[in-house]
Amino acid sequence: MQMPNERPFDLLNNSIGQLVLIRLKGNMSIRGRIVSFDAHMNVKIENAEELEDGELKTKLGTILLRGGNIIFVAVV
Amino acid sequence: MQMPNERPFDLLNNSIGQLVLIRLKGNMSIRGRIVSFDAHMNVKIENAEELEDGELKTKLGTILLRGGNIIFVAVV
Amino acid sequence: MQMPNERPFDLLNNSIGQLVLIRLKGNMSIRGRIVSFDAHMNVKIENAEELEDGELKTKLGTILLRGGNIIFVAVV
Amino acid sequence: MQMPNERPFDLLNNSIGQLVLIRLKGNMSIRGRIVSFDAHMNVKIENAEELEDGELKTKLGTILLRGGNIIFVAVV
Amino acid sequence: MQMPNERPFDLLNNSIGQLVLIRLKGNMSIRGRIVSFDAHMNVKIENAEELEDGELKTKLGTILLRGGNIIFVAVV
Amino acid sequence: MQMPNERPFDLLNNSIGQLVLIRLKGNMSIRGRIVSFDAHMNVKIENAEELEDGELKTKLGTILLRGGNIIFVAVV
Amino acid sequence: MQMPNERPFDLLNNSIGQLVLIRLKGNMSIRGRIVSFDAHMNVKIENAEELEDGELKTKLGTILLRGGNIIFVAVV
């Protein structure tokens, strides 16, 4: 299988310190500043906020988010 | 197990820079331009749009989509 | 564990270029011509059609279908 | 861990060419003649029939059934 | 990680030829005589009976039960 | 990744022969005396009781509980 | 794949002995003091409390929480 030089995880690498919106399974979203990530897509987020229908629901502070629940990470 | 020279992931490889429609579990679809992918079917999508019943719901910009949620990728 | 010389994936190998009906989790079916497959049962399908209750719902064209969602592949 | 010489997959090995009833997740059953199987419990079935509440629902012909959806295989 | 000499699978090993009750995901139970098992907790059961709310629903005969659906195995 | 000398599984190791309460997926709990465990969190429980809303529902005797269904193990 | 020196699990490492709030699948939360963790995100929690809609539901004492059910760990 031939793959391009660009890789999907580059998006995470280039987003360190930036705001991202992460959609999770079960109709839940997290918005915050990405601090670090690993190969399982586990991510550490600062100033994390839980959103419901695009509205702020809870301020979560700094969190470790498990990669397995992620549907997508969007650059804000 | 004997397999043909052509491989399913060739579809992704040949779609770099092109529009694709990605159906996800949970009745959600993403349309956008595929930038890169990896062996887990994680894909980076530019100009990503979330669709509901074929209609535009949200513009997402550039996203990293986790392969595990994908049902199929269709060439548009 | 002793296994016969015939292997289940031979069905896919012998169906290259032929029509198959693929039943997916979540009451969805795909009908089309199988182009290629890999060891995870990921399949590339040409002239793919999404069926609901046996009726054509959407023409999808060429798709990469993720093996993990497949219940069975039937030779048409 | 000590295990007996007899192994569960022997049931499949001894059922080649015979009728089996396969219960799947999601209240679905398949009846047919087992042709081959592999270590993931993927099975090739001839004269496969889909059953609902024990009644014939659809004749499927020859199918490749993904092992991951199986609850049990019963010798008929 | 230090673990005791006794291991959970010993229960299966010591139950060969005996009656067990197996609770499965999705509110289903199987009662029968355990013939063999493997490291994935796949088990071959003789005189298997499907139970619903503790009452006999269907006689299944000899079955191969996939370990992944098991919640627990109880010695009867 | 640096990890402390203390490890989560020590809780199981130190609970051999003691009463534990195990919460499972699907709103089910098991209470009993832990006999042994393995690296997959499979546990053998003696005098196991199934609880519903904290009340005794069924006496199960000795069981092998599959680790994959466990949410948490609490020392009673 | 290039990754930063900081890693997501550092959050757990730096939280030993501190209060955390752990959101689980199925609308359940656990609050308590983190004692240890492993590479599967299994965590040992002291003074664990089960919360429902942010209110205390049950005091659980010391628990071993399976990593696979975790959505996120928040530093309190």
Side-chain angles (χ1 to χ4, degrees), chain F residues 45-64:
Chain F
I45 306 283
E46 273 180 348
N47 302 319
E49 298 174 330
E50 183 181 347
L51 306 182
E52 211 174 52
D53 304 317
E55 308 268 312
L56 174 61
K57 192 178 158 197
T58 325
K59 294 199 172 211
L60 301 169
T62 301
I63 67 169
L64 164 56

Side-chain angles (χ1 to χ4, degrees), chain A:
Chain A
M1 177 168 40
Q2 240 181 323
M3 282 178 299
N5 289 333
E6 231 263 15
R7 300 292 293 272
F9 272 68
D10 293 348
L11 181 143
L12 294 178
N13 218 11
N14 296 332
S15 301
I16 299 291
Q18 317 233 343
L19 262 188
V20 293
L21 178 73
I22 302 180
R23 181 78 59 86
L24 303 177
K25 294 177 191 171
N27 207 23
M28 181 180 165
S29 295
I30 300 286
R31 189 172 50 194
R33 205 165 290 284
I34 193 164
V35 178
S36 59
F37 66 96
D38 64 21
H40 302 286
M41 229 184 265
N42 298 318
V43 285
K44 183 176 164 187
I45 306 283
E46 273 180 348
N47 301 319
E49 297 174 330
E50 183 182 348
L51 307 180
E52 211 174 54
D53 303 318
E55 308 269 313
L56 174 62
K57 192 178 157 198
T58 325
K59 295 201 171 208
L60 300 170
T62 301
I63 67 168
L64 164 56
L65 186 64
R66 228 181 128 82
N69 302 300
I70 294 177
I71 298 179
F72 64 73
V73 180
V75 177
V76 179

Side-chain angles (χ1 to χ4, degrees), chain D residues 15-60:
Chain D
S15 301
I16 300 292
Q18 316 232 345
L19 262 188
V20 293
L21 177 73
I22 301 180
R23 181 80 58 87
L24 302 178
K25 292 176 192 174
N27 206 23
M28 181 179 165
S29 296
I30 300 287
R31 189 171 51 195
R33 205 165 290 284
I34 193 166
V35 179
S36 61
F37 66 96
D38 65 21
H40 301 286
M41 228 182 264
N42 298 318
V43 286
K44 183 176 166 186
I45 306 283
E46 273 180 350
N47 301 320
E49 297 174 331
E50 183 182 347
L51 306 181
E52 211 174 52
D53 304 317
E55 308 269 312
L56 174 62
K57 191 177 157 197
T58 325
K59 296 199 171 210
L60 301 170

